[in-house]
């Protein structure tokens, strides 16, 4: 075994003991790791998640209720400039029906996700939807993933009963952020929004793509330092995957192995964090989500959207589950977890 690898293992040990590394140390990890280090981190991460959660996996049903977006992120298939995207919007009743169906299948968290479509799904309307879901399913958590909103809107939604909010920071490096987004999108505003979410008492999810164009080891080091400092309750991490109708169509996809490694490092740093094995991870590898769980993840977010719209919510090419129905995804996940010795639980699965 080479000395570089020994160095990375000792840094993984240090992370496990101190829950913190310096920027230089993170750079040494990202600059020097190999498969053996990844397996080492995965073993530690898995031990930690078994200790905190046992062999239980939380499921969240995701309802992709609108693919209309005012933003133009260079990586995303539903960016406003993509005229090939067939746009759709679900009615309030359709959203509620997805949740009712999900409840039958044992989901106790509903994630409402959309593009930034505030003109139509304005905060008052969303608050009404949240109240209706909470009324129909008082034992369920509602997670919102609507993009950047101002404090008053986020407060209104919190008061309506929303429990959690997912807003990936995408990259904690300002220069990198400006290479992924057009000029009218602000790194400071996104970070400010994340801080507001926490202040308002949301269980807050941050996260990033792995291998997004122009990402360097320094960007990843900045991501890990940001995650340590911010202390999110959830972290969404998946590989970047190109979409044919975006400016990044010819960019290479992110590394599957590096994604698993980052999941393990996050678990080691934040033992109780809610960490999904993402759909993008399941897209880059057929057993990606299983391997994510075995690397320290503890959440899976199957799709609850009506099958008719699934193909239209294409953030990247090849997205899985677009031909399937909600019960098929639900059963598929149970079987996949069972095969690796894990079990899906019927529970809200709050951060504790
Ligand atoms: N590849 C992988 N992930 C993507 N996302 C958006 N576009 C892509 C892509 N091309 C992720 C972003 C966003 C989340 C909803 O999906 O991180 O926050
Ligand atoms: Fe959708 Fe497997 S999770 S088909």
């Amino acid at each position: 075994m080479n000395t570089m690898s020994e160095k990375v293992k000792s840094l993984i040990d240090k992370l496990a003991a101190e829950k913190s590394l310096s920027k230089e140390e993170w750079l040494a990890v990202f600059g020097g790791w190999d498969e053996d280090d990844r397996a080492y981190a995965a073993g530690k991460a898995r031990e930690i998640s078994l200790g905190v959660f046992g062999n239980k996996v939380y499921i969240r049903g995701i309802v992709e209720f609108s693919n209309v977006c005012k933003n133009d992120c260079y990586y995303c298939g539903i960016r406003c400039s993509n005229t090939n995207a067939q746009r759709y919007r679900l009615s309030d009743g359709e959203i509620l029906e997805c949740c009712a169906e999900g409840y039958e299948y044992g989901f106790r968290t509903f994630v409402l996700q959309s593009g930034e479509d505030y003109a139509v799904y304005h905060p008052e309307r969303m608050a009404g939807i949240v109240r209706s879901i909470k009324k129909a399913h008082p034992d369920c958590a509602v997670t919102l993933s609507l993009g950047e909103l101002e404090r008053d809107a986020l407060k209104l939604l919190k008061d309506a009963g929303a429990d959690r909010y997912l807003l990936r920071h995408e990259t904690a490096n300002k220069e990198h952020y400006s290479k992924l987004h057009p000029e009218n999108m602000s790194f400071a505003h996104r970070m400010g929004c994340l801080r507001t979410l926490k202040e308002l008492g949301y269980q807050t999810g941050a996260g990033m793509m792995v291998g997004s164009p122009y990402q360097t080891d320094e960007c990843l080091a900045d991501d890990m330092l940001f995650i340590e400092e911010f202390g999110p309750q959830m972290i969404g991490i998946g590989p970047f995957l190109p979409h044919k109708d975006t400016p990044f169509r010819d960019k290479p996809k992110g590394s599957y192995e590096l994604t698993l490694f980052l999941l393990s490092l996050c678990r080691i740093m934040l033992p109780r964090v809610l960490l999904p094995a993402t759909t993008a991870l399941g897209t880059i590898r057929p057993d990606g989500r299983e391997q994510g769980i075995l690397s320290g993840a503890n959440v899976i977010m199957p799709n609850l959207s009506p099958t008719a719209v699934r193909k239209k919510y294409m953030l990247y090419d090849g997205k899985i589950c677009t031909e399937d129905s909600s019960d098929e995804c639900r059963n598929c996940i149970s079987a996949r977890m069972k095969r690796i010795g894990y079990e899906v639980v019927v529970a809200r699965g709050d951060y504790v």
Side-chain angles (χ1 to χ4, degrees):
M1 213 168 289
N2 65 41
T3 47
M4 190 88 121
S5 189
E6 284 309 315
K7 174 86 193 294
V8 172
K9 287 196 187 66
S10 74
L11 289 170
I12 292 167
D13 289 343
K14 183 173 181 188
L15 180 67
E18 299 176 13
K19 309 293 173 207
S20 176
L21 293 180
S22 68
K23 181 143 178 182
E24 292 64 38
E25 290 169 329
W26 280 120
L27 287 172
V29 170
F30 294 123
W33 69 283
D34 63 15
E35 269 299 293
D36 200 54
D37 300 319
R38 181 174 76 75
Y40 183 74
K44 271 202 183 304
R46 189 173 172 201
E47 205 175 287
I48 292 169
S49 60
L50 282 171
V52 178
F53 305 102
N55 69 336
K56 307 286 186 276
V57 172
Y58 296 134
I59 49 169
R60 283 71 164 93
I62 176 158
V63 182
E64 302 154 332
F65 66 87
S66 163
N67 69 346
V68 180
C69 192
K70 70 174 177 59
N71 288 337
D72 214 15
C73 307
Y74 301 143
Y75 47 84
C76 185
I78 63 167
R79 65 200 300 269
C80 64
S81 294
N82 181 10
T83 51
N84 287 333
Q86 293 177 40
R87 305 291 170 171
Y88 73 90
R89 291 177 168 123
L90 298 188
S91 69
D92 299 20
E94 287 172 316
I95 297 171
L96 283 161
E97 265 173 52
C98 291
C99 297
E101 187 183 6
Y103 192 89
E104 294 299 311
Y105 303 148
F107 289 98
R108 295 296 178 266
T109 292
F110 303 114
V111 181
L112 306 187
Q113 188 175 88
S114 65
E116 292 200 0
D117 192 15
Y118 311 128
V120 170
Y121 298 90
H122 45 81
E124 291 75 19
R125 176 172 175 190
M126 288 311 300
I129 296 171
V130 171
R131 276 191 292 267
S132 303
I133 295 173
K134 284 290 194 170
K135 193 171 172 204
H137 311 290
D139 53 336
C140 292
V142 172
T143 303
L144 299 176
S145 182
L146 314 174
E148 295 170 42
L149 281 167
E150 298 309 314
R151 178 182 293 264
D152 52 351
L154 294 172
K155 172 89 169 58
L156 182 81
L157 294 164
K158 187 80 186 56
D159 292 343
D163 301 277
R164 311 184 190 133
Y165 204 103
L166 304 177
L167 182 72
R168 291 191 181 176
H169 64 284
E170 310 298 359
T171 173
N173 181 287
K174 191 170 185 290
E175 284 65 51
H176 186 215
Y177 189 90
S178 71
K179 293 179 180 165
L180 300 179
H181 304 96
E183 241 169 64
N184 68 349
M185 288 182 69
S186 144
F187 177 73
H189 190 268
R190 198 167 189 87
M191 289 301 195
C193 188
L194 277 164
R195 298 199 190 274
T196 302
L197 286 164
K198 257 195 133 177
E199 280 167 25
L200 291 172
Y202 281 97
Q203 295 173 50
T204 303
M208 63 281 186
M209 291 174 285
V210 177
S212 58
Y214 314 107
Q215 186 177 67
T216 61
D217 290 350
E218 186 177 3
C219 297
L220 290 173
D222 289 341
D223 285 325
M224 295 309 286
L225 292 174
F226 167 70
I227 288 169
E228 181 197 340
E229 178 260 321
F230 183 67
Q233 281 85 26
M234 291 96 77
I235 311 173
I237 298 179
F240 162 75
L241 297 164
H243 186 290
K244 62 179 178 19
D245 300 318
T246 65
F248 289 167
R249 62 180 65 84
D250 296 321
K251 301 291 185 196
K253 59 181 148 206
S255 156
Y256 167 66
E257 290 80 8
L258 180 54
T259 304
L260 293 178
F261 189 39
L262 281 161
L263 288 174
S264 298
L265 296 170
C266 285
R267 170 62 64 214
I268 293 167
M269 187 163 80
L270 298 171
R272 295 175 302 143
V273 81
L274 298 165
L275 194 60
T278 55
T279 304
L281 189 58
T283 299
I284 201 170
R285 271 304 155 87
D287 67 337
R289 289 171 296 176
E290 291 90 318
Q291 295 307 317
I293 296 296
L294 295 173
S295 301
N298 74 314
V299 171
I300 297 211
M301 300 169 66
N303 204 314
L304 266 185
S305 310
T307 313
V309 303
R310 288 187 182 199
K311 267 205 196 57
K312 300 176 184 168
Y313 203 84
M314 273 293 179
L315 307 185
Y316 43 80
D317 292 335
K319 185 168 171 240
I320 53 171
C321 301
T322 58
E323 308 270 0
D324 302 280
S325 60
S326 298
D327 63 319
E328 283 168 337
C329 286
R330 175 64 181 84
N331 293 332
C332 167
I333 290 301
S334 279
R336 284 173 185 270
M337 293 302 105
K338 205 169 163 193
R339 256 180 267 142
I340 57 167
Y342 282 71
E343 192 191 339
V344 166
V345 287
V346 177
R348 280 173 50 126
D350 285 290
Y351 182 82
V352 286

